[in-house]
Amino acid sequence: MAGTNPIELQKALKNAHYPTDKQHLVEVARKNRASNDVVEKISDLKKDRFDSPADVQEAVFRSK
């Protein structure tokens, strides 16, 4: 997913409450009008539970 960066991910997940699951993060990203690439990247994560924004960021950027 070329072009996705941590700031774009943070904007997509604005107002997400943690701990949370992957489906909630996808819904939040869609509500925040994130790009389809960002939504897809979150949907494709192997992990299902996240304790913090840093936890999501690590999963997204480590999975490259």
Side-chain angles (χ1 to χ4, degrees):
M1 179 160 100
T4 299
N5 61 59
I7 294 171
E8 185 179 7
L9 183 62
Q10 288 173 5
K11 287 179 182 179
L13 300 179
K14 182 179 178 184
N15 296 322
H17 299 282
Y18 297 88
T20 192
D21 61 30
K22 180 170 47 176
Q23 184 58 39
H24 175 73
L25 294 177
V26 168
E27 291 169 11
V28 169
R30 286 185 176 138
K31 182 178 177 185
N32 288 330
R33 298 183 178 157
S35 70
N36 288 336
D37 286 341
V38 172
V39 173
E40 186 176 314
K41 186 70 171 178
I42 295 167
S43 295
D44 290 345
L45 292 173
K46 293 177 184 173
K47 190 173 178 181
D48 190 51
R49 298 284 303 165
F50 301 90
D51 295 323
S52 69
D55 197 17
V56 178
Q57 189 165 327
E58 180 180 335
V60 168
F61 294 105
R62 180 176 273 182
S63 67
K64 285 185 174 181

